[in-house]
């Protein structure tokens, strides 16, 4: 999906209401029960954090449509997370959505205590039992395509990525961006920094500034705050998960989007039907399934570069090209 210079401020709402939302409806024709089921969201960071905001928006939309009754908590620490899971299960939530990256073992233990409650969690681990499903944030296809643009746009031949913590999913996203850069510019250098937390915009900004000082002239912001550094120094940046272009119209030229709604729809459908949710839901979020994409400002890169990227994008959607899934920590 492209934006010309006149519609660079097209909102994420438009994006999700068009292409990505079509994927959501196509994957699960109907998830509506006779009455809305109670779904709890447990967010480890504030819902303004990009990843949590994607989940929160999908859950809010489902509630507005009458599909679910939605309650949530945000900023829940790892030490409090198992307790929050138990409390929502005790309160009668049919389905609990959240993230278990810092508490993988404890989360599965809680789920085992509440076999009648369905848990579907963002996780670096795998599903377990009948009631604990997992999903990954696999918008790495869009990151690869953004890397293709960046690789041809960089003038210093140095690009950078600012990530949270080197867990497999974050590693895969940053590695995909770097692979996209290298695919079109083998001589480009790629810098990587991790801020050690999932939400600290000032720290992400500082990491971005350090990379700019080291010569980077395009930054991939896996974390919120990276674009602030790019804006401050007058260079270009790429967003992840949501569309940052409207916030940084002269800075963010591309975004690797991810839409949680297809995953949520599948989980709700299973919970409503009484089917086990103990399975992997990640694939519903892939680009070829309509769950992720790239959105960019047309004209930011030379026309031939955009055309080359769009050709690969079409191949990804058709299933004839697969972006490498490299979960090793970037070096």
């Amino acid at each position: 999906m492209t934006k010309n210079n006149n519609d660079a401020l097209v909102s994420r709402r438009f994006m999700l209401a068009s292409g990505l939302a079509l994927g959501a409806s196509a994957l699960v024709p109907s998830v509506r029960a006779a009455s809305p089921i109670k779904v709890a969201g447990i967010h480890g960071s504030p819902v303004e954090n990009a990843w949590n905001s994607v989940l929160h928006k999908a859950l809010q939309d489902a509630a507005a449509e009458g599909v679910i009754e939605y309650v949530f908590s945000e900023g829940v620490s790892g030490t409090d997370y198992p307790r929050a899971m138990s409390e929502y299960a005790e309160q009668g939530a049919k389905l609990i959505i959240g993230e278990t990256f810092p508490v993988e073992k404890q989360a599965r233990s809680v789920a085992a205590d509440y076999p009648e409650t369905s848990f579907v969690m963002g996780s670096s681990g795998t599903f377990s039992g009948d009631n604990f499903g997992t999903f990954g944030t696999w918008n790495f296809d869009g990151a690869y395509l953004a890397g293709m643009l960046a690789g041809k746009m960089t003038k210093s031949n140095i690009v950078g990525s600012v990530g949270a913590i080197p867990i497999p999913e974050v590693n895969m996203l940053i590695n995909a961006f770097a692979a996209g850069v290298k695919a079109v510019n083998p001589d480009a250098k790629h810098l990587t920094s991790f801020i050690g937390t999932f939400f600290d915009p000032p720290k992400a900004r500082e990491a971005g500034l350090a990379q700019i000082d080291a010569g980077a002239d395009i930054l991939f912001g896996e974390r919120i705050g990276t674009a602030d550094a790019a804006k401050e120094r007058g260079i270009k940046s790429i967003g992840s998960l949501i569309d940052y272009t409207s916030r940084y119209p002269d800075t963010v030229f591309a975004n690797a989007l991810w839409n949680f709604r297809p995953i949520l729809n599948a989980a709700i459908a299973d919970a409503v039907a009484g089917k086990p949710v103990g399975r992997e839901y990640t694939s519903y979020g892939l680009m070829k399934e309509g769950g992720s994409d790239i959105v960019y400002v047309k004209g930011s890169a030379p026309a031939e570069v955009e055309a080359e990227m769009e050709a690969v994008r079409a191949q990804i959607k058709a299933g004839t090209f697969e972006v490498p899934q490299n979960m090793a920590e970037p070096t």
Side-chain angles (χ1 to χ4, degrees), residues 3-296:
K3 301 176 180 180
N4 60 38
N5 290 327
N6 292 325
D7 64 8
L9 300 184
V10 173
S11 69
R12 172 175 169 269
R13 180 180 295 275
F14 174 81
M15 177 65 186
L16 296 184
S18 54
L20 293 185
L22 289 176
S25 61
L27 284 167
V28 184
S30 177
V31 295
R32 190 179 299 277
S35 60
I37 64 169
K38 184 175 182 179
V39 178
I42 308 176
H43 303 281
S45 298
V47 293
E48 67 185 282
N49 184 40
W51 188 87
N52 299 92
S53 75
V54 175
L55 271 66
H56 188 54
K57 175 66 162 56
L59 287 157
Q60 284 182 314
D61 287 347
E65 295 164 14
V67 175
I68 65 173
E69 175 191 343
Y70 175 46
V71 294
F72 72 95
S73 298
E74 62 181 313
V76 180
S77 68
T79 54
D80 285 339
Y81 211 92
R83 177 186 57 78
M85 293 172 64
S86 297
E87 288 182 354
Y88 277 124
E90 293 284 352
Q91 293 168 16
K94 177 71 173 179
L95 172 65
I96 296 176
I97 301 290
E99 55 197 284
T100 59
F101 302 107
V103 289
E104 298 286 4
K105 182 177 180 180
Q106 300 95 315
R108 286 160 178 76
S109 177
V110 172
D113 290 338
Y114 297 94
E116 301 303 314
T117 304
S118 297
F119 298 83
V120 175
M121 298 286 181
S123 170
S124 294
T126 188
F127 58 91
S128 61
D130 288 337
N131 71 325
F132 190 92
T134 54
F135 64 88
T137 313
W138 284 17
N139 60 323
F140 64 93
D141 290 329
Y144 180 90
L145 297 175
M148 292 182 66
L149 297 179
K152 287 293 189 178
M153 291 171 62
T154 177
K155 294 180 173 59
S156 67
N157 234 26
I158 303 175
V159 300
S161 295
V162 177
I165 300 170
I167 60 174
E169 283 190 321
V170 173
N171 294 344
M172 181 169 61
L173 185 63
I174 291 175
N175 286 331
F177 170 73
V181 172
K182 295 287 187 179
V184 299
N185 186 352
D187 296 326
K189 182 179 180 181
H190 176 245
L191 308 176
T192 306
S193 300
F194 293 100
I195 64 173
T197 182
F198 288 110
F199 187 74
D200 193 333
K203 188 174 287 189
R205 170 184 165 275
E206 290 298 323
L209 290 173
Q211 291 185 350
I212 296 169
D213 288 341
D217 63 354
I218 297 177
L219 299 181
F220 174 60
E222 194 276 326
R223 287 294 108 183
I224 286 178
T226 309
D228 292 310
K231 180 180 179 180
E232 185 174 323
R233 295 292 182 85
I235 70 166
K236 296 297 184 181
S237 182
I238 295 162
S240 180
L241 298 175
I242 64 176
D243 187 348
Y244 287 95
T245 303
S246 62
R247 301 188 200 179
Y248 305 91
D250 298 318
T251 302
V252 175
F253 69 93
N255 302 271
L257 301 182
W258 182 63
N259 180 18
F260 183 64
R261 190 63 189 272
I263 293 173
L264 177 62
N265 280 355
I268 293 172
D270 286 343
V272 168
K275 295 180 179 179
V277 299
R279 66 185 181 101
E280 180 61 62
Y281 288 87
T282 299
S283 63
Y284 293 95
L286 292 172
M287 182 177 288
K288 66 181 180 180
E289 301 293 347
S292 61
D293 210 334
I294 182 174
V295 60
Y296 64 98

